[in-house]
Structures are given as C-alpha cells and as structure tokens.
Amino acid sequence: MDEPFAEYREVGAADPLRQGDVLEAVEPGATMWQQHLLVMTADCDFAHAKHQGRVTCVPLLAAEEYLSEMQIPKIRARLAKPQVSEIRQILSKYPAPTISDRRLREWASEEEPSDIVKMLELQQADAQRAMAAFEAIRTMDTPTDNLEEGIRLLVEAQLSAPNPPKRQNAVKRVMDKLREPYTQPPGDALFLTAISPGQDEGYFAYLRHIEQIWEPDISLGPSHREVTYRRISRMRDRFTHALVQRFAMVFMSIGLPHQYEEHRDLHADLLGGKYA
C-alpha cells in the first residue's frame, strides 16, 4: 500500500542539523517570519564549521499569511488601476490641479469620497462616478487582519465601482490571482502541502527573506536547556534541492556598472593606506 504523500520526513535527535531541516520557534509569539524556518546552510558548511555557528534560514509562511502579505497587495494594485483611470478621465474635463496616480489612490484612503468630490467641484454624473471610483479604492485598500476579509473587501470594491461586474466575475478575478502561486510558482517562493506531522494546512517557502539563527539555540530533540528553536522535520532531498536551486536563482550575481568596479577597487587600494 502506498504511503501518504508528504514533502518532509521525520528525523531523530541523533541526526545532525542539515540543510532542509524545518525549525519551529519555541516562543508562541514569534512573528510569521520567524515561526517556521527552513535551514539553507549547506551540509558541507556544517561539516567543516564554515558557517561560524550561524544557521541561514528562510521562512515557511502559512499559505494564508503568504497570500495576505504577498498576493493581496498585488491584486489591490491591479484592481485600483481602472478606478484611477476613471477618476483621471473625469478630471481631464475640469480645471483640476495635476495629481499623480499614487496620490489619487492615497487620497481615497485619507478623505471621505464625498468630501473629495466636493473639493474637486465635480458636477452631477461625473461626481457620482468619481465618488464610486474613490469608494472602490478606499474599500480595497482597507487594512485587514486575515485573508478572508481581504478577499471580501476586494470583491465588494469591484461591486461598488462604476460599471461593476457580476459578483461571480468579481470573485473569479480575485481567486484566479490567488491560485496562481500554487499552479504557476513565482521564482522566489514554492508551495509545500505540509512541513511536519500535524502541520499540513499548506505553506509557502519565501526565499527573499533571510533569518540567521545561532546553532546552539536550536534543539534537535528533547532538551532541558533553554533554546529558541526546535527541529520538527526535514524536507525530502528532492524538495530541499528544488528550494536551494530557487534560492540561488533569486540571489544570482547581477552585473554592475564599470564605474562601480572602479570605485570599489579604489576603496580597496586606499584601505590601510595611512599605515603604509
């Protein structure tokens, strides 16, 4: 009989710390960036103590946290564009001051839409359309505490805008974008269905955020000493290698201007000159 699928495997206290190990913060109040970490330090660095006791990790974010933090803002920006364009088109008919797209969007969150329309001295139908557009931006940019609330506000914002879509289409616009990181993984993240026993709600390894942990602060098994993290599992080799490859691609060397190299070399030449 086939074993249940999982990207991780369990490890014992006797297994040394390795690349691909999953760490869990002991402190329950740890931030989402520190609650669960994936060890990226290479095995050879552990073997030869090249890491100087510092263990490099990336966060494993719960799927809802990742989508709320990384994807909802992108969807907001995408849905705000047509509303800003609508407002700008209306303003083009009036002797209004030049206002940037960014400022128009910020303004919607700072003032009541009705007050903004009065200040702009918009008339009748133009005032109604502008007020609806400002209200849509205001709704979608409202801060939220969870993914469900974020989705609800994005849908409501579309329905309150000028020329609103059908509800099912408004929902689809949001959900299609939220599903993309699963089916079309971005270069800086990878979805994992589970990271340890009982931790199977779905997680994203986010590769642009780096945390460093002192190795003595990590417990590999039951421990009486005070620690910050405990190891709870290890990613299977294929997933560890895939994550390390993506991590390397994110931080691959980028060509820099020739002038930078000249100034860099000058600083190196001047270093210690007063001691010559």
Side-chain angles (χ1 to χ4, degrees), residues 180-228:
E180 280 187 6
Y182 294 85
T183 58
Q184 303 173 44
D188 60 4
L190 186 69
F191 177 73
L192 301 167
T193 61
I195 59 172
S196 74
Q199 307 272 17
D200 56 3
E201 297 288 318
Y203 293 80
F204 279 89
Y206 184 60
L207 306 174
R208 290 191 184 276
H209 183 102
I210 297 174
E211 293 281 340
Q212 284 201 325
I213 310 298
W214 284 107
E215 188 170 357
D217 289 340
I218 302 170
S219 172
L220 305 183
S223 175
H224 296 293
R225 63 188 176 87
E226 188 172 332
V227 295
T228 307

Side-chain angles (χ1 to χ4, degrees), residues 53-95:
R54 296 180 179 88
V55 180
T56 299
C57 306
V58 295
L60 296 168
L61 304 178
E64 288 198 4
E65 293 174 339
Y66 172 81
L67 295 175
S68 294
E69 185 75 19
M70 300 298 168
Q71 299 304 316
I72 289 291
K74 293 179 183 178
I75 300 173
R76 284 174 178 155
R78 180 170 171 268
L79 294 178
K81 281 184 178 180
Q83 307 311 321
V84 171
S85 295
E86 174 78 19
I87 296 167
R88 188 163 297 289
Q89 183 178 5
I90 293 170
L91 292 180
S92 67
K93 299 186 291 184
Y94 293 81

Side-chain angles (χ1 to χ4, degrees), residues 18 40 80 107 141 150:
R18 290 289 186 86
M40 302 301 288
W107 200 6
D141 280 346

Side-chain angles (χ1 to χ4, degrees), residues 115-140:
D115 294 336
I116 297 174
V117 168
K118 287 179 182 178
M119 283 185 273
L120 292 173
E121 299 182 346
L122 304 183
Q123 303 299 315
Q124 300 176 351
D126 287 339
Q128 293 299 318
R129 294 184 67 82
M131 192 153 52
F134 275 118
E135 184 60 45
I137 296 171
R138 182 186 182 86
T139 299
M140 68 180 65

Side-chain angles (χ1 to χ4, degrees), residues 251-265:
F251 294 101
M252 278 181 66
S253 177
I254 297 174
L256 297 172
H258 178 65
Q259 294 91 332
Y260 161 78
E261 295 178 353
E262 289 180 342
H263 283 76
R264 175 200 62 196
D265 294 345

